Amino acid sequence: GSWPPLRVRAGPPPLRRAKGLQRALVVERAMADAPPPPPPPAPGSADGAPEASATASVAPAGTAPPAEGAPAGSPMAAEASEPAAEGDSPTAAGAAGVAAPPAAPSSPTSGLPLPPAPAPPKAPEPPKELEEDEASDTRPRITESSTFLPRDTTLNVLQSAHSNVLMALTDCNMQYFVAGARANTGLKAGRYMFEVKIVEILNPIEPRGPQARTWVPRQMLRIGFATSSSKLFLGDGKENCCFDSDGNFVYDKKATPVAGKFQREQVLSVVLNLDPNSANANTVSIFKDGQRMCQPQPLPEDMKGKPLFPAVTYRNLTVHVNLGPTAMAKLPFTCRMVQEAAKSDAEMAVSVAPKNGKHEVLYPVCLPDQGTFDWLDHFLEKNPDYTELSDRKILEWAEASGIFRSRPYSQATPGFSKDRPDLSLGQPMLDEFSIRSIMRAIAPTLQRNLVVMEVKGNLLKDERARLLKPFNLPHLRRVAQVMVGDPERSFKERMQAAMLREKQEAANIAFKLQQAEAAQKRLLAKRQRQLEKEQQRLAKKQKLDEEAAANKAAEQATDGEKPSEAADDEKKEEEKADDASADEDKDEPMQDAQPPVVELSPEEKKQVFRPSGNPDLTAQVFSSCFANFTLPVQEEGFDEVRFEWDRKNKSADFMKEWMLDKKLTTRIDDLVPSQEFMQRYTQWQQQFQSWRQKQHDWQEEQQRKAVLRAEAKARREAERKAAQEKKAAEEKRAAEEKKAAEERKAEEEKKAEAEKDAAEDRPEGEEKAPEEGKAAGEKAAGEGEKPDEPMEPSKAAGEAGADAKTPNGEPKPEEAKEEDQDDDDAAVQDDDVDVFAVSDISDVGKGQPLFARFALEDWALVSLRFELHALVHGFRKDVKDVEREGIHLDHILFYYNKYFHKTLLPSSFGRDTFESLLALVSDSISLSPKKALQSHLSDELDSFDVFVKLAEEGRRERNLLVDLGDESAALKLSAAAAASFAARLQPNRPAPRPGFGGSSPTHGGGYGAPSAQQWPAAYGAQKGGYGGAGFGGQSGLSAGKGGYGGYGGGYSSKGYGSAAAQPYGKVGGDRRPYYGKGGYK
């Protein structure tokens, strides 16, 4: 309501209206957000004259204020503050800025005067100033000079000779970082003030380009008070509060608009009132050029009762800080400045004089993840005059400066550590890490104690030499602070308290989540009950409506007779039920449940150092350099080496034990297998394939012999069956002949009896003639061939058996020879062979190899034995460190993959852990007491036979246990592992060469091997090829299907082939030779 009427410049009506509307909206928003304007200054006062500055000026009467968010001096601000054109406004600007009464306008149509415009609302009267003049105080004043100590300023603060002008570095991207300073005079009581004035505004060059980013505001100023333990950045934390250049009151990163903006050459006075008898007790106020800018702001509770020190935070500015004794701007009341504070009201920050006139540069030496930063935080808390130089402080500085980062500052970036956090801020100039270089360049020139915090650098001799070099100056004393060994009791207690606090905080969060889930469930249950009750209510209502309609109809039917009272009773019962359900729906009062109180477990109480999710060094950095860690010595250039936790000898012993343990449990990421190992592994693979080939050949030979034995057995069975059939036929024929002979004999006897009877009936002369004829016939038969006589069955069987046996009753030589051949072809049994007494594992007798009965899982264990054995010895040679005991159990998978380029999983062998997997090969590989892999075999082996012998011994033992009923002893590979091993363990044999589809429709031509040197004799040479005689082959130059693969060509140069037909051959193209698939059978 205090702004004069707003008018726009002359122009086209549409444009003028649009611009006027836009400007009116801007001004209306600014007026709504702005505080009430101060009363006009008295004539002749400092504010009576127009204020001039390089960036902005006070708006003259009759102009609009600058638009919100427009910087002073910008075109938008100039346009918004342009005075109204003469004739466009019904008012004219007065000398004092008071609007003149408007002339009575007239209607353009009727000429009658229009009603006068309503008068603008009166500006609210400013509140009455409650601060009173300072009473006379005769108490003694402080004698020390109020100034800014170097320890209480950031590294980029540059002070003038009298410490009252503060500048900031802007080179090497320091322009993005704020500067902070805290005075050495703390106020505990009374009312005091200090003043700040902007004397220079800096505009450093900003990068240009699509990735360039400029943070707003480029220039920033904050003035206020802070405690002695507060950070140097005002507005960051609960131990400081301030007013910023945008007119906000800032506390704990929360800004509240309370006043106008700061400008150059304005004297800003900050008044702290700690007088309990004052109306503005425990408040802080800000004045501009002696005029109050806002109402007194109450001090936060966390700052009450503590000494409060004047502080400033600024960026790209040069400021003049006046701590007294004389003020630059007069306030409406008298108030003493900080330099005039009474001794009883003030507390001076004491600057400890350096020992021997030299400031210390401290190099903490601590093992990674053993309380390094916990010790440092406590040390800085006890020694605030030390300034830390580290990357984590740079990151904290960037966060306090408001530099945007896509990832939250509080979130640790994977792949980084506390020693080297992620410093990428999304700005190319900042990501060059030039801030680290300029800090190292500035720090040696400052008169302050420093802490060079680098975990890795302070443990490496070469890095320590690099860190010592910049601080080799006469006014600095370089000290190595060693914290290695058993910490002191106070440190352990702090760590236990920190762990308990973190555990309690986690329990509180879990408890709150549990309470929220329970409340959510209750709410859902309540809504479900309400829904069910609503459905019941609707159903009851519908039922009542139906009953009411029925009652009404019944009443009409009975000529007005009232229905029974049962319906009314039912309604009353339903209403009571509704009231009861309503009582049930009332929310149960929430009990004031408290989170559980946690305690440290016995294991946690044994922990000396507090665990952290963010390590001091990344695993990769640690593994690459920890073997070179050493303790510092004075000869390296240190003026002193201090051992805080243990004496020098104990610290050295502790570090040695720690390093041995880390060498065992830390993997080497950059380890490369040696050439010697690769040659040895290549020899093993060749030998392994040779064994597999030998087993395959022996199995094929056994299959061939088995076929021959089966054929011989079948032949003998056929001969034996034929002999039996012949014997049965002969016995049958003999029986038939015997029967015929008996029948013939009976007929003859019958005939003889008949003749005898006839002869008795004949005369004597006739009887003689037949007898003589008979005698003559018998005589003639005796002289000729004898008639066939039937052979007895026993005699026939004896003759049949005589064909198969010798006269002595033994089998014939042919059958005995075949049986001897079967005995010779039989495989050698396990009981007949002593595994470790075999000199040649490829032939334990009759050409049988020791590994003849190996299955897929046996070969897998053979390979596992050698690979783990070679891994142990190869790792020992490649690391070239006698202090490394071996490969730790946790890193077997990593090193196995690095050396053999494949994965080793216990589940592939049907086991759950590596311990159970190693139990399968415990005869050659085991774990040491420290869980390190060790081999029982020497590295200087003459041959690889021992791995086969151990596998054969293990196979026999497993089979024995399985036969005894122990099913757990059986080894079962997973499907994936079995397929992988099967593909890897295929014999190294040449691929079968196909045969031509022959020109004859009945067979295909053979395709033999070129030479015995190119193709081994076992797979056929010139005399036996891989192809064979095919069936149904077509012309060799025609396309189409080929014939069946042939009989196979020879198993060897002699040409043993099986008669099994092979699948169809591949289809060839037109005018190309066409091949049918052969094989090696």
Side-chain angles (χ1 to χ4, degrees):
S2 63
W3 300 107
L6 177 68
R7 308 297 292 175
V8 298
R9 293 173 294 181
L15 178 60
R16 187 165 60 246
R17 286 194 298 270
K19 293 181 66 177
L21 178 60
Q22 180 181 7
R23 190 175 303 166
L25 292 175
V26 172
V27 175
E28 182 181 357
R29 190 182 308 114
M31 292 176 61
D33 297 339
S45 64
D47 291 349
E51 186 176 340
S53 69
T55 58
S57 61
V58 178
T63 62
E68 181 182 7
S74 65
M76 184 175 179
E79 183 179 3
S81 61
E82 184 179 356
E86 185 177 358
D88 284 351
S89 172
T91 63
V98 180
S106 60
S107 174
T109 56
S110 62
L112 298 176
L114 295 177
K122 294 182 179 180
E125 294 183 0
K128 182 181 179 181
E129 181 61 63
L130 300 180
E131 297 287 355
E132 299 177 353
D133 291 340
E134 186 75 21
S136 177
D137 189 357
T138 59
R139 293 179 299 171
R141 307 287 194 266
I142 58 174
T143 57
E144 298 86 349
S145 176
S146 294
T147 183
F148 294 95
L149 300 178
R151 72 176 192 186
D152 294 329
T153 60
T154 55
L155 294 176
N156 60 340
V157 172
L158 299 178
Q159 303 183 46
S160 64
H162 298 285
S163 301
N164 58 351
V165 177
L166 304 180
M167 296 174 287
L169 290 173
T170 58
D171 193 19
C172 294
N173 305 316
M174 291 292 289
Q175 64 199 45
Y176 301 107
F177 291 82
V178 298
R182 184 174 60 233
N184 65 336
T185 304
L187 305 174
K188 300 184 294 182
R191 185 184 67 184
Y192 300 96
M193 61 170 282
F194 74 98
E195 296 174 332
V196 177
K197 183 171 69 172
I198 301 174
V199 297
E200 184 183 19
I201 297 177
L202 305 177
N203 290 285
I205 298 176
E206 296 285 350
R208 298 180 181 272
Q211 296 183 351
R213 181 185 293 118
T214 300
W215 284 273
V216 178
R218 294 183 64 189
Q219 294 82 22
M220 181 264 288
L221 174 63
R222 292 179 178 178
I223 52 179
F225 288 89
T227 64
S228 60
S229 59
S230 169
K231 298 180 180 179
L232 295 177
F233 311 109
L234 291 177
D236 185 10
K238 297 183 178 182
E239 295 185 338
N240 60 75
C241 62
C242 64
F243 298 94
D244 67 3
S245 52
D246 289 332
N248 300 317
F249 180 74
V250 185
Y251 170 72
D252 195 18
K253 299 182 180 180
K254 298 178 181 178
T256 305
V258 294
K261 296 185 177 182
F262 304 163
Q263 299 296 338
R264 183 177 177 179
E265 298 297 336
Q266 293 177 345
V267 178
L268 306 171
S269 305
V270 184
V271 178
L272 176 66
N273 192 338
L274 299 178
D275 185 2
N277 300 322
S278 174
N280 293 333
N282 292 323
T283 61
V284 59
S285 304
I286 186 169
F287 295 80
K288 180 177 67 176
D289 293 331
Q291 301 297 323
R292 180 178 289 276
M293 296 185 67
C294 67
Q295 293 301 309
Q297 301 299 315
L299 279 176
E301 292 295 330
D302 293 333
M303 298 178 62
K304 293 181 180 179
K306 300 178 182 179
L308 302 179
F309 296 79
V312 293
T313 300
Y314 58 98
R315 175 167 53 199
N316 293 331
L317 296 173
T318 299
V319 296
H320 175 207
V321 182
N322 180 24
L323 298 175
T326 305
M328 295 184 293
K330 185 179 180 181
L331 299 182
F333 51 91
T334 59
C335 180
R336 285 188 295 175
M337 301 196 71
V338 174
Q339 184 63 60
E340 293 295 311
K343 285 186 177 182
S344 58
D345 294 344
E347 179 180 302
M348 303 300 294
V350 181
S351 178
V352 180
K355 185 178 180 180
N356 299 327
K358 293 185 177 182
H359 292 277
E360 280 191 356
V361 181
L362 204 63
Y363 295 82
V365 179
C366 191
L367 298 177
D369 298 324
Q370 293 205 358
T372 307
F373 289 95
D374 290 325
W375 174 89
L376 179 60
D377 293 337
H378 183 66
F379 176 83
L380 294 176
E381 184 180 350
K382 293 194 306 181
N383 303 274
D385 54 329
Y386 280 79
T387 301
E388 178 184 352
L389 301 178
S390 65
D391 284 358
R392 70 165 186 166
K393 284 300 178 182
I394 295 177
L395 207 60
E396 292 178 6
W397 196 356
E399 181 181 10
S401 300
I403 298 177
F404 174 78
R405 174 173 154 165
S406 57
R407 182 185 296 272
Y409 281 92
S410 59
Q411 181 179 354
T413 306
F416 292 86
S417 62
K418 292 180 181 178
D419 191 43
R420 283 290 184 266
D422 184 12
L423 293 181
S424 58
L425 301 173
Q427 174 64 269
M429 295 181 65
L430 291 174
D431 292 344
E432 295 174 355
F433 306 123
S434 57
I435 182 67
R436 184 187 298 163
S437 302
I438 195 172
M439 283 180 59
R440 295 292 168 83
I442 297 171
T445 65
L446 303 177
Q447 298 292 330
R448 62 172 71 186
N449 296 323
L450 302 172
V451 178
V452 181
M453 186 65 253
E454 286 203 10
V455 179
K456 184 189 79 171
N458 293 343
L459 284 167
L460 297 174
K461 183 177 180 180
D462 296 340
E463 290 291 321
R464 286 195 295 266
R466 179 182 62 83
L467 297 173
L468 283 169
K469 186 177 181 180
F471 300 94
N472 188 16
L473 297 174
H475 68 281
L476 296 177
R477 188 168 181 267
R478 299 173 293 181
V479 178
Q481 188 87 2
V482 181
M483 284 72 62
V484 174
D486 188 19
E488 54 191 6
R489 182 177 180 181
S490 59
F491 180 85
K492 296 179 181 179
E493 292 176 353
R494 288 197 305 272
M495 293 300 98
Q496 295 287 323
M499 287 190 289
L500 181 61
R501 182 172 58 253
E502 292 177 354
K503 189 173 183 180
Q504 185 63 55
E505 290 175 357
N508 294 345
I509 294 174
F511 178 77
K512 291 180 180 179
L513 292 176
Q514 184 179 3
Q515 292 290 95
E517 292 177 359
Q520 184 70 14
K521 291 181 180 179
R522 287 194 298 270
L523 180 60
L524 293 176
K526 179 180 177 182
R527 291 179 178 177
Q528 184 66 23
R529 290 195 303 270
Q530 290 176 350
L531 180 61
E532 294 176 354
K533 292 174 182 177
E534 182 66 18
Q535 293 176 352
Q536 295 176 1
R537 188 185 65 80
L538 294 176
K540 292 178 180 179
K541 182 180 179 182
Q542 183 179 1
K543 181 179 179 182
L544 292 175
D545 292 343
E546 293 176 354
E547 292 178 354
N551 292 337
K552 185 176 181 180
E555 183 179 357
Q556 293 177 355
T558 56
D559 296 333
E561 183 179 353
K562 293 183 179 180
S564 62
E565 297 180 356
D568 295 337
D569 296 340
E570 186 176 355
K571 289 182 180 180
K572 293 180 180 180
E573 292 178 359
E574 291 176 355
E575 291 176 356
K576 292 181 180 179
D578 292 341
D579 295 339
S581 61
D583 294 337
E584 293 178 358
D585 286 342
K586 290 183 180 179
D587 293 337
E588 297 179 0
M590 293 289 294
Q591 298 180 357
D592 296 334
Q594 298 296 329
V597 178
V598 299
E599 294 181 355
L600 295 179
S601 63
E603 292 76 12
E604 292 173 336
K605 291 181 179 179
K606 294 179 182 179
Q607 295 181 2
V608 178
F609 305 104
R610 181 168 60 101
S612 175
N614 189 21
D616 291 350
L617 297 177
T618 61
Q620 184 176 4
V621 172
F622 178 80
S623 64
S624 63
C625 65
F626 82 94
N628 300 321
F629 287 171
T630 58
L631 294 179
V633 293
Q634 197 166 352
E635 289 74 10
E636 296 178 10
F638 291 101
D639 296 306
E640 183 183 358
V641 178
R642 302 172 186 164
F643 290 86
E644 182 172 341
W645 288 353
D646 270 332
R647 293 191 300 271
K648 182 178 179 180
N649 294 337
K650 286 188 176 181
S651 298
D653 295 340
F654 183 90
M655 186 171 182
K656 185 177 181 180
E657 292 294 330
W658 174 87
M659 190 170 293
L660 291 176
D661 181 70
K662 290 301 179 182
K663 285 183 177 181
L664 177 62
T665 58
T666 303
R667 70 186 193 188
I668 307 174
D669 293 328
D670 56 353
L671 182 65
V672 178
S674 62
Q675 189 66 26
E676 179 184 357
F677 173 83
M678 300 307 298
Q679 293 176 357
R680 184 73 168 172
Y681 185 51
T682 302
Q683 296 174 1
W684 161 259
Q685 289 178 315
Q686 294 173 354
Q687 182 64 65
F688 188 78
Q689 291 296 336
S690 174
W691 289 336
R692 286 287 297 152
Q693 189 65 55
K694 181 68 176 178
Q695 183 195 31
H696 189 273
D697 296 343
W698 184 83
Q699 289 176 348
E700 283 191 345
E701 180 68 19
Q702 291 300 112
Q703 291 176 1
R704 187 186 66 81
K705 290 181 179 180
V707 171
L708 295 178
R709 287 196 299 269
E711 292 177 353
K713 183 177 180 180
R715 186 173 63 252
R716 289 195 300 269
E717 290 295 332
E719 292 176 354
R720 191 175 294 110
K721 184 177 181 180
Q724 292 177 356
E725 290 177 353
K726 180 179 179 182
K727 176 182 176 182
E730 290 178 352
E731 290 178 353
K732 182 178 180 181
R733 183 164 55 83
E736 291 177 352
E737 291 177 353
K738 181 178 180 181
K739 183 178 179 179
E742 291 177 353
E743 290 178 352
R744 215 172 28 251
K745 183 178 180 179
E747 290 179 356
E748 290 177 355
E749 290 177 355
K750 185 177 180 180
K751 184 177 180 181
E753 290 179 358
E755 291 178 355
K756 183 178 180 180
D757 293 340
E760 291 177 356
D761 295 339
R762 287 198 303 271
E764 292 183 2
E766 295 178 358
E767 292 177 356
K768 186 177 179 180
E771 292 177 358
E772 291 177 356
K774 180 179 180 181
E778 292 176 355
K779 185 178 179 180
E783 292 177 359
E785 293 181 359
K786 295 183 179 180
D788 295 336
E789 296 180 357
M791 183 179 296
E792 297 180 1
S794 59
K795 186 177 181 180
E799 293 180 357
D803 295 338
K805 295 182 180 181
T806 60
N808 297 331
E810 297 179 356
K812 290 185 177 181
E814 292 79 4
E815 294 188 1
K817 183 178 180 180
E818 291 178 355
E819 292 177 358
D820 293 341
Q821 183 68 27
D822 292 344
D823 295 338
D824 293 340
D825 293 340
V828 179
Q829 301 300 320
D830 293 343
D831 297 338
D832 301 336
V833 178
D834 183 2
V835 172
F836 295 100
V838 175
S839 59
D840 184 7
I841 62 173
S842 297
D843 187 1
V844 297
K846 302 179 183 179
Q848 176 180 335
L850 181 64
F851 43 82
R853 294 181 177 84
F854 275 14
L856 189 63
E857 54 270 16
D858 300 309
W859 286 114
L861 290 180
V862 170
S863 180
L864 180 62
R865 281 182 172 89
F866 169 80
E867 288 171 349
L868 293 179
H869 163 79
L871 180 62
V872 170
H873 293 288
F875 175 82
R876 178 177 54 81
K877 292 181 178 180
D878 293 342
V879 296
K880 300 177 182 179
D881 188 353
V882 296
E883 293 183 349
R884 288 186 181 268
E885 184 176 347
I887 298 175
H888 194 264
L889 179 66
D890 296 338
H891 304 313
I892 292 178
L893 178 61
F894 171 78
Y895 288 114
Y896 187 88
N897 180 269
K898 180 175 285 291
Y899 273 80
F900 301 107
H901 303 288
K902 53 187 178 182
T903 303
L904 176 64
L905 297 176
S907 58
S908 301
F909 294 84
R911 298 298 186 267
D912 298 331
T913 61
F914 276 106
E915 290 91 336
S916 58
L917 174 62
L918 295 177
L920 297 175
V921 292
S922 58
D923 46 20
S924 57
I925 301 295
S926 64
L927 290 174
S928 69
K930 293 184 178 181
K931 301 293 183 181
L933 204 62
Q934 58 184 7
S935 175
H936 301 175
L937 305 176
S938 172
D939 184 36
E940 304 296 334
L941 295 176
D942 297 333
S943 67
F944 302 115
D945 295 354
V946 64
F947 300 105
V948 176
K949 294 179 179 180
L950 292 174
E952 172 63 15
E953 188 71 15
R955 183 190 68 84
R956 295 181 181 183
E957 183 178 356
R958 289 198 310 274
N959 292 342
L960 179 61
L961 293 175
V962 172
D963 294 341
L964 294 176
D966 186 3
E967 297 296 335
S968 62
L971 179 61
K972 298 179 181 179
L973 300 179
S974 64
S980 176
F981 279 121
R984 187 154 48 96
L985 301 181
Q986 286 296 331
N988 187 18
R989 69 185 320 152
R993 300 184 67 175
F996 278 105
S999 58
S1000 170
T1002 58
H1003 64 276
Y1007 196 171
S1011 64
Q1013 288 77 15
Q1014 182 173 354
W1015 300 93
Y1019 296 102
Q1022 292 283 1
K1023 295 182 181 180
Y1026 288 96
F1031 295 94
Q1034 299 180 0
S1035 173
L1037 294 180
S1038 4
K1041 292 185 176 180
Y1044 278 101
Y1047 280 76
Y1051 174 80
S1052 67
S1053 60
K1054 294 182 180 180
Y1056 295 106
S1058 89
Q1062 300 299 318
Y1064 279 107
K1066 297 180 180 179
V1067 178
D1070 291 340
R1071 309 300 301 169
R1072 292 179 61 83
Y1074 156 44
Y1075 302 90
K1077 179 173 268 188
Y1080 40 81
K1081 282 192 179 180

